[in-house]
Amino acid sequence: MELVTLGIFCAALVGAIFTGVPTVCALLVGLAAFCIYAWRWSGSVRRVARMCWEGIAPIAKILGMLALIGVLTGLWRAAGVIPAIVYYAVPLISPGVFLLATFLLNCFVSVLTGTSFGTAATVGSICISMAGAMGVPLFAAGGAALSGAFFGDRCSPISTSALLVADLTGTDFYNNLKRMVKSAAVPFVLTCVAYFALGLLIPASGEAGDMAASLASAFAVGPVVLLPPVIVFALALMRVDILVVIGAGIASSVPLCLAVQDMTMADVVRTAILGYVAPLPQVRALSGGGLVSMLDAVQIVCITSAYAGIFKETPLLAGIDRVVWGMSRRLSPFGVTLTTSVFTAIISCNQTLAIMLAHQLCSDLDQNASDHALDLEDSVVLVAGLVPWSIAGAVPLASMGAPVAASMALAIYLFAVPAWRLLSGWFAARGRARCAVR
């Protein structure tokens, strides 16, 4: 029965991939299959409903955060925050350092917004447009932009994936961020070196064109519009509750929309709900955001959270649990988590479910909760962006206009973090073995 149920789920996902049906439809088919399995196992519809609710209830804060981030990304576009960042960065970009600059610019914006989707749809799209004008191969620019988008998606103070991992593991959100920064320091430097070297090797010519002039004509881009991200990071450094941090980012952008960008209050409310619509074709890539932009993400998180409740209460994943336990005798906890993450990312088609499955399967490994949280952040959060049929990486690349598979192959940061963890863990194990011999 377990194999049949999981087979139905996998078949629905594969069917959705090849037919272009929205992933949420496949996830609903999976939810129906899992609920039927849980009903046959428990014999109670009420108990199945309770399982689903117990999976969804703990992530209520994440749902609220997703909604607020949609509002924030819409208003930060309208207030000129993201346009100003691009405006000040464009004159500094030349063909020789374009890939490095693309990576760093996307890192910066993704840390500000906490979302790879929002980063890709704004500054990522602009970088791909600039790459075309400069003659930089789009797959190389796409890989650099995807790497940068996932940098903040993993460790931004307003990252939903980081909050999800903290909630699942019962760990402190800000302490997790501190550990993530440390574990990614070397991979970040190596990624910068790699993109700088590639930029020198890949032939490119031309300039970025009049992007800065287009931004200046569409927005007031003075330093004052950078106040909201300053407030957000100041509050994050003080470890203020994450919802308060995002709320402050929203509240501080409203006066800028009204006083600096000459919007009406009706325009602000419309933008907060429906997203920003750029006034000029040259900056149309900056359109987007708003509450409605996060509805798909909210649906996916709700559905996959219901899965988690069923998985926890039933033996549906018992066979896979045994495989994971067998691997734990031969591999380190991170090695097991990374291997499991590849499997969950391949079958789940989205980052949220991949994280939940990896946590579910690896939560009983011999390690404390903080180490488990870091292992998830250094594995499944990034691996999900390297599966061509997963929305985690495919949607950002498609929104940029970059080739999917080839760009993922050059998303160096997404490979560098787990590779560094494996390598450093191997050296640490060898060091402990030598000490034991002595």
Side-chain angles (χ1 to χ4, degrees):
M1 185 64 180
E2 288 81 6
L3 290 177
V4 172
T5 304
L6 293 172
I8 292 172
F9 172 58
C10 292
L13 287 175
V14 172
I17 292 166
F18 286 103
T19 61
V21 174
T23 304
V24 69
C25 295
L27 294 177
L28 286 172
V29 172
L31 180 60
F34 296 149
C35 286
I36 292 172
Y37 171 86
W39 169 70
R40 288 177 62 100
W41 179 79
S42 67
S44 169
V45 173
R46 180 175 295 181
R47 188 173 177 186
V48 173
R50 190 179 75 248
M51 291 178 194
C52 293
W53 174 246
E54 288 178 352
I56 295 172
I59 53 91
K61 186 175 183 179
I62 295 172
L63 297 178
M65 186 175 174
L66 284 169
L68 288 177
I69 285 178
V71 174
L72 180 139
T73 55
L75 292 181
W76 276 19
R77 287 168 165 90
V81 175
I82 295 175
I85 293 168
V86 177
Y87 173 81
Y88 288 119
V90 164
L92 305 177
I93 300 175
S94 63
V97 297
F98 180 82
L99 294 181
L100 174 59
T102 295
F103 171 62
L104 294 176
L105 184 57
N106 279 270
C107 282
F108 185 60
V109 173
S110 66
V111 169
L112 291 181
T113 62
T115 165
S116 58
F117 281 29
T119 301
T122 53
V123 68
S125 297
I126 292 172
C127 288
I128 295 300
S129 298
M130 292 168 60
M134 290 183 172
V136 176
L138 296 188
F139 70 90
L146 186 67
S147 287
F150 268 81
F151 178 84
D153 186 85
R154 172 181 173 270
C155 62
S156 166
I158 55 175
S159 166
T160 52
S161 65
L163 183 61
L164 175 61
V165 169
D167 280 356
L168 289 174
T169 58
T171 51
D172 180 71
F173 177 75
Y174 287 112
N175 184 60
N176 289 350
L177 291 183
K178 183 193 295 186
R179 298 191 70 193
M180 279 188 269
V181 170
K182 290 180 179 178
S183 72
V186 172
F188 175 80
V189 172
L190 293 176
T191 302
C192 289
V193 172
Y195 282 131
F196 179 73
L198 280 174
L200 297 178
L201 294 174
I202 294 177
S205 60
E207 298 298 332
D210 58 353
M211 178 63 69
S214 298
L215 291 169
S217 65
F219 302 92
V221 290
V224 68
V225 299
L226 299 177
L227 182 61
V230 172
I231 293 173
V232 164
F233 274 87
L235 293 176
L237 289 174
M238 291 186 286
R239 293 180 172 243
V240 175
D241 182 83
I242 187 64
L243 294 181
V244 175
V245 172
I246 301 173
I250 293 171
S252 60
S253 65
V254 172
L256 297 176
C257 292
L258 297 172
V260 180
Q261 306 300 343
D262 294 325
M263 296 173 65
T264 66
M265 196 63 204
D267 293 331
V268 172
V269 173
R270 189 182 307 111
T271 299
I273 297 172
L274 301 177
Y276 178 68
V277 178
L280 298 176
Q282 301 94 311
V283 293
R284 195 58 52 84
L286 290 170
S287 297
L291 180 63
V292 297
S293 71
M294 302 304 290
L295 292 182
D296 283 347
V298 169
Q299 291 181 73
I300 289 173
V301 171
C302 281
I303 295 169
T304 52
S305 297
Y307 288 2
I310 294 173
F311 295 158
K312 184 177 180 180
E313 296 293 329
T314 69
L316 183 57
L317 299 181
I320 302 175
D321 279 333
R322 287 192 291 270
V323 173
V324 172
W325 181 251
M327 287 193 298
S328 68
R329 299 181 179 182
R330 300 184 297 271
L331 301 175
S332 66
F334 179 73
V336 175
T337 305
L338 179 59
T339 305
T340 305
S341 297
V342 173
F343 168 74
T344 61
I346 287 173
I347 68 165
S348 65
C349 300
N350 72 89
Q351 187 190 61
T352 302
L353 180 55
I355 291 171
M356 289 183 168
L357 285 173
H359 164 68
Q360 190 90 25
L361 294 170
C362 299
S363 58
D364 292 332
L365 297 178
D366 186 19
Q367 59 182 165
N368 60 47
S370 293
D371 288 342
H372 177 49
L374 183 62
D375 285 354
L376 291 174
E377 292 287 359
D378 288 349
S379 57
V380 65
V381 171
L382 300 174
V383 169
L386 295 173
V387 179
W389 53 85
S390 172
I391 64 172
V395 169
L397 288 170
S399 67
M400 296 181 209
V404 174
S407 297
M408 288 179 176
L410 274 184
I412 296 171
Y413 179 76
L414 276 67
F415 293 100
V417 172
W420 173 251
R421 280 293 308 278
L422 285 174
L423 186 62
S424 57
W426 182 76
F427 278 117
R430 289 199 64 182
R432 288 193 295 269
R434 287 174 181 170
C435 292
V437 171
R438 292 175 186 173

